[in-house]
Amino acid sequence: MSEDDRTRAMRSPGDGRPLPPRPGDGPRSGGAPAYQVPSGGPGAPTHALPAASQIPEPPPPVQPRAGSRVYGKARSGSSPVKPLTPRDEPSPRGPRRRLSGKTILKIVAGLLVVLLVAAVGLFFWVGSRLTGIDGVLEDYAGRPADTPGTNWLLVGSDSRKGLSAAERKKLRTGQAVGQRTDSMMLLHIPETGDKPTLVSLPRDSAVTIPGKGRDKLNAAYNGGPQLLVRTVETVTGVHVDNYMEIGFAGFVDIVDAVGGVEINVRAAVDDPKAGLKLKKGTQVLTGAQALGYVRTRKGGDLPDYERTQRQRQFLGAVVKKAASPGVLINPFTSIPLAMSATDAVAVDPGTGVFDLLSLGLSMGDSPVTTVVPFGGNEAVPSGGTAVRWDRAKALALFDALKNDKPVPKNIVDTG
């Protein structure tokens, strides 16, 4: 027995079976395996170990293409491996999916539907908040017949309703009770496609008030909006289709809701009574400043005349700003504006949201602005003097509006 056999016998477990080969045991001479477990017998394993020649060799490593790069390793021919960044690492959520054109179209359509529903809801909400003045446009004997186009009577009253004592003091509105008209304008929106015409009616105009006699136009408002409308229709011959008035408090709120109004102040104004001090030039006015700007009588040789110019200038600017897309499509401005406007204005019962939109669009169309031509003064029975209209030019102006024609250029006030 050789030395190796004796060594194996000594390591035998005692039942005559030799132990499995240890690492390093090579094959015997002649190529036979150093050890092979018998196929049977007590304690024999259920599966025989395969011969070395039967063990499959591992597959050869995949050779990457030259110049390619894998995570964490540089393949042959490539540059040194750079550290991985979050952008290089695979996303745990998997590859990103790009939206198809059809999906994008569905999303856009859904957004449009939401906006449409919101707009319809806002439309009805605004309509429900409008305050109507009953009887303001009632028929009466001898009322002018309906004429082409649409005619608005726009009235700014000096009502202090809604203002606290502190606000009256801050805005310098005074403590007068009741209300009077602070400004009156006639807006004609033509059917012919021409530009609208905005005409100032000076409140101190000498007119004949039905049932009251000769007096200042402003005095007609003491009998209420209905008497004022009837007076305007009687002296102009123009049928009034819509009526709207606004007080001091609403005036300020609307201007502030749209973020102020840009006005070209043509001359410096310093009016402590109105609480106003403005430099000459283009500037953005707050609600309080705008109120003082349209009310002040300071400046110019004809204060009332220039006052009507400022009122038309301001009205055009504020309505144009309110009707601009930047205000209307922005809920942070359009909703406060809608709330302020509906709280501030009062209209005839037949005026709705579409009418107000038409008014806004017309004012944003740079209307022709003018004032009723006048010449001289006239004493009135109530005391004091009133402004006497130039009868021939005034008739030409109002005839143009009644017939839906452009106002003659020789009587247009371009100021």
Side-chain angles (χ1 to χ4, degrees), residues 29-351:
S29 60
Y35 173 73
Q36 191 169 9
V37 178
S39 59
T46 57
H47 299 286
L49 294 176
S53 61
Q54 297 176 339
I55 298 176
E57 295 183 359
V62 177
Q63 297 298 325
R65 292 175 296 176
S68 63
R69 181 173 178 267
V70 295
Y71 292 106
K73 296 182 180 180
R75 295 180 175 178
S76 59
S78 66
S79 58
V81 177
K82 297 180 181 179
L84 293 178
T85 64
R87 181 178 296 179
D88 296 328
E89 295 178 355
S91 172
R93 300 178 182 177
R96 295 181 179 178
R97 298 178 59 187
R98 292 185 177 182
L99 298 177
S100 65
K102 188 175 182 180
T103 302
I104 294 176
L105 186 60
K106 288 182 178 179
I107 294 175
V108 172
L111 291 175
L112 290 177
V113 170
V114 172
L115 290 175
L116 180 60
V117 171
V120 172
L122 183 63
F123 173 85
F124 284 105
W125 175 70
V126 171
S128 67
R129 288 175 56 89
L130 288 175
T131 301
I133 305 176
D134 293 333
V136 65
L137 296 181
E138 282 186 354
D139 284 331
Y140 54 87
R143 185 182 186 189
D146 194 10
T147 54
T150 303
N151 300 305
W152 285 78
L153 181 59
L154 309 175
V155 176
S157 78
D158 63 359
S159 171
R160 279 80 173 167
K161 183 179 179 181
L163 292 176
S164 65
E167 289 172 328
R168 292 182 184 185
K169 182 178 180 180
K170 179 180 178 181
L171 298 175
R172 308 293 179 93
T173 62
Q175 303 295 327
V177 296
Q179 63 182 32
R180 296 166 296 177
T181 52
D182 204 56
S183 63
M184 287 169 281
M185 301 181 200
L186 191 62
L187 173 67
H188 175 72
I189 304 174
E191 293 181 349
T192 58
D194 294 327
K195 285 184 175 296
T197 302
L198 182 65
V199 182
S200 289
L201 307 174
R203 69 175 192 170
D204 290 336
S205 300
V207 297
T208 299
I209 301 175
K212 302 290 184 179
R214 201 72 173 167
D215 207 338
K216 296 179 181 179
L217 179 59
N218 186 49
Y221 191 71
N222 294 334
Q226 184 178 6
L227 181 58
L228 176 63
V229 171
R230 183 173 179 178
T231 301
V232 170
E233 290 183 331
T234 300
V235 299
T236 64
V238 176
H239 181 93
V240 175
D241 300 297
N242 300 92
Y243 176 89
M244 181 176 73
E245 70 176 51
I246 181 173
F248 282 168
F251 185 99
V252 174
D253 290 341
I254 290 176
V255 175
D256 289 338
V258 298
V261 178
E262 186 177 85
I263 294 291
N264 181 18
V265 180
R266 299 173 184 176
V269 180
D270 187 1
D271 186 359
K273 187 176 180 180
L276 184 67
K277 189 172 184 178
L278 298 175
K279 296 180 180 180
K280 180 181 178 180
T282 301
Q283 52 204 286
V284 176
L285 305 186
T286 64
Q289 290 175 320
L291 178 61
Y293 181 72
V294 299
R295 294 187 65 228
T296 183
R297 297 176 182 271
K298 293 286 186 177
D301 298 328
L302 299 171
D304 283 336
Y305 169 72
E306 295 186 2
R307 189 168 181 258
T308 62
Q309 287 183 322
R310 290 193 298 270
Q311 290 170 349
R312 294 194 305 274
Q313 178 193 22
F314 166 76
L315 181 61
V318 71
V319 175
K320 186 174 182 178
K321 176 74 175 289
S324 65
V327 171
L328 293 180
I329 66 176
N330 183 356
F332 295 102
T333 54
S334 60
I335 293 179
L337 171 61
M339 295 180 66
S340 299
T342 51
D343 287 338
V345 303
V347 296
D348 64 276
T351 294

Side-chain angles (χ1 to χ4, degrees), residues 190 193-196 316 319-320 358-368:
D194 294 327
K195 285 184 175 296
V319 175
K320 186 174 182 178
S358 175
L359 171 65
L361 293 175
S362 299
M363 292 300 299
D365 193 26
S366 301
V368 175

